[in-house]
Amino acid sequence: PKTDIVFLKVHKSASSTVMNILFRFGEMHNLTFAFPQGGGFQLYYPHHFLAKFVQGFSPLHPRRFNILCHHMRFLQPEVQKVVPSSAVYFSILRNPVQLMESSFVYYKGASAFSRVRSLEEFLSQPWRYYDPASGDRHYARNLMTFDFGFNPDGDASPERVQLMLKAIEASFDFLLISEYFDESMVLLKEMLCWDLDSVVSFPLNSRDSSTKSPLPDSVVEKLKAWNRLDWEIYTHFNRTFWERLDRLIGRERLARACLQGTGSVGPKDIKDSSLRPLQHGGARILGYNLKQGLPRELERTCRRLVTPELQYSSLLYKKQFPPPPP
């Protein structure tokens, strides 16, 4: 199991639940945490992280901690001073629409929100209420962008967006998606080589549904435009999340377990005729060869995965309507 970990705790994104998982794992394995100075709960947020914010860190006698997971504004060169070079970096994202709706309710006292009655009112004239120079502006615009260390009021040109995405990819090993929390925990378990018990959880710091309200489509589109940088981050890493999940625990693993060779083969090369797809017209329909000698249960699972539709349909028909006994 990986024991050196940096978790960027993005606000309002199920990050408290992930933090609880890290706390429990660290406690069970007697790992050290990079705690904020004086036993606080944030690493001098919203300032960019500095190593000196960590209790017990000294530039004269640098000390490495196993887990860094308290709220911070990411700055990797400083983070690297307090964790081992082998540390795994990850974070969690949330759909910016739900994220901002949650932020509006949770941070209603923030300067940008304090003079409006609703999120709709704020988004109708955001520049009337939003001050880029205020110290709490990040709660009202591109909160994820800010937590990752970037300027929430920055240019959203394709070139700048690509630079930002590449910088995040260069710093982080993987990003979870809060809307797909269960799948995220499976991915976390695989990436950290932990057992399943280590990633089970109860939702923490979640809001009662009575304070939630759906947003009209027109407001959603305004919200996406206002949080354009967050939207670019989310859509990009939502796509790579599923690609990674598919790659790590999906088809490739099953292919290695089930198949001879690396994948599909031509119809003439399919050795088991019961697995040969119907060849129709001029098309050349590919199929699969199963490994020999698989355990019974695995062989059954693998066979179901590669059985062509006509054969599978016949099999299920006979199961549902068994022929009368002779």
Side-chain angles (χ1 to χ4, degrees):
K2 304 286 197 307
T3 55
D4 299 324
I5 294 160
V6 174
F7 172 56
L8 178 61
K9 190 176 187 289
V10 171
H11 286 74
K12 314 314 299 170
S13 301
S15 55
S16 293
T17 305
V18 178
M19 194 176 186
N20 176 268
I21 289 169
L22 296 175
F23 280 165
R24 287 186 285 118
F25 184 85
E27 181 184 23
M28 182 179 295
H29 294 273
N30 294 316
L31 304 178
T32 57
F33 291 88
F35 284 109
Q37 282 278 4
F41 302 105
Q42 296 192 352
L43 291 156
Y44 213 50
Y45 187 89
H47 297 276
H48 274 105
F49 176 82
L50 296 176
K52 67 180 182 181
F53 299 159
V54 174
Q55 180 77 42
F57 175 81
S58 166
L60 298 177
H61 305 287
R63 180 184 175 190
R64 298 289 193 264
F65 300 87
N66 297 117
I67 299 177
L68 174 62
C69 62
H70 287 74
H71 269 311
M72 64 172 165
R73 190 176 182 202
F74 190 67
L75 187 60
Q76 190 166 17
E78 288 292 313
V79 169
Q80 289 171 329
K81 295 178 182 178
V82 299
V83 296
S85 59
S86 60
V88 176
Y89 288 67
F90 76 99
S91 186
I92 188 165
L93 304 176
R94 185 180 183 184
N95 186 310
V97 175
Q98 283 74 47
L99 175 60
M100 190 171 186
E101 189 275 333
S102 178
S103 295
F104 179 80
V105 175
Y106 199 83
Y107 302 114
K108 189 66 176 69
S111 59
F113 296 148
S114 60
R115 294 184 290 132
V116 295
R117 289 163 296 180
S118 66
L119 187 54
E120 290 94 323
E121 184 180 350
F122 172 80
L123 288 167
S124 67
Q125 294 179 290
W127 288 109
R128 180 180 177 185
Y129 309 105
Y130 179 82
D131 180 4
S134 70
D136 61 359
R137 78 191 193 284
H138 52 284
Y139 294 124
R141 191 181 196 198
N142 290 314
L143 180 52
M144 293 190 294
T145 300
F146 183 87
D147 285 354
F148 276 95
F150 303 102
N151 178 7
D153 299 308
D155 171 32
S157 68
E159 295 78 14
R160 185 187 184 280
V161 166
Q162 283 305 308
L163 285 173
M164 181 177 66
L165 296 177
K166 288 185 185 307
I168 295 172
E169 288 178 331
S171 298
F172 288 85
D173 295 289
F174 58 106
L175 298 180
L176 309 177
I177 304 292
S178 64
E179 284 81 15
Y180 306 104
F181 194 80
D182 290 345
E183 293 90 341
S184 291
M185 291 305 97
V186 172
L187 181 58
L188 184 68
K189 166 191 172 297
E190 291 294 313
M191 293 297 296
L192 298 180
C193 303
W194 289 6
D195 59 33
L196 192 59
D197 287 344
S198 296
V199 298
V200 295
S201 63
F202 292 128
L204 295 177
N205 204 31
S206 57
R207 184 157 51 111
D208 186 277
S209 59
S210 65
T211 64
K212 300 177 182 178
S213 56
L215 298 171
D217 290 345
S218 59
V219 174
V220 168
E221 291 309 311
K222 288 179 182 177
L223 195 153
K224 289 179 184 178
W226 177 248
N227 294 279
R228 172 69 185 282
L229 295 175
D230 271 12
W231 188 250
E232 294 285 357
I233 291 173
Y234 180 79
T235 53
H236 175 80
F237 287 105
N238 185 37
R239 185 178 69 254
T240 60
F241 172 86
W242 292 105
E243 290 170 357
R244 180 185 289 269
L245 200 65
D246 190 43
R247 188 167 65 247
L248 284 179
I249 63 170
R251 290 193 296 255
E252 286 197 7
R253 174 178 292 190
L254 285 169
R256 288 196 299 271
C258 293
L259 305 180
Q260 291 182 23
T262 57
S264 55
V265 296
K268 292 181 180 177
D269 296 317
I270 299 171
K271 297 166 186 171
D272 185 339
S273 60
S274 69
L275 297 178
R276 189 173 295 133
L278 173 69
Q279 302 298 310
H280 189 72
R284 183 170 173 267
I285 309 301
L286 304 178
Y288 300 91
N289 286 317
L290 293 180
K291 281 184 177 177
Q292 300 298 304
L294 292 172
R296 182 181 299 175
E297 278 302 308
L298 180 58
E299 200 272 347
R300 184 177 184 277
T301 298
C302 293
R303 179 169 289 275
R304 291 296 189 270
L305 280 166
V306 301
T307 299
E309 63 177 286
L310 299 187
Q311 290 94 312
Y312 212 153
S313 180
S314 297
L315 185 149
L316 292 175
Y317 180 86
K318 291 174 183 175
K319 181 179 179 182
Q320 189 167 318
F321 301 105

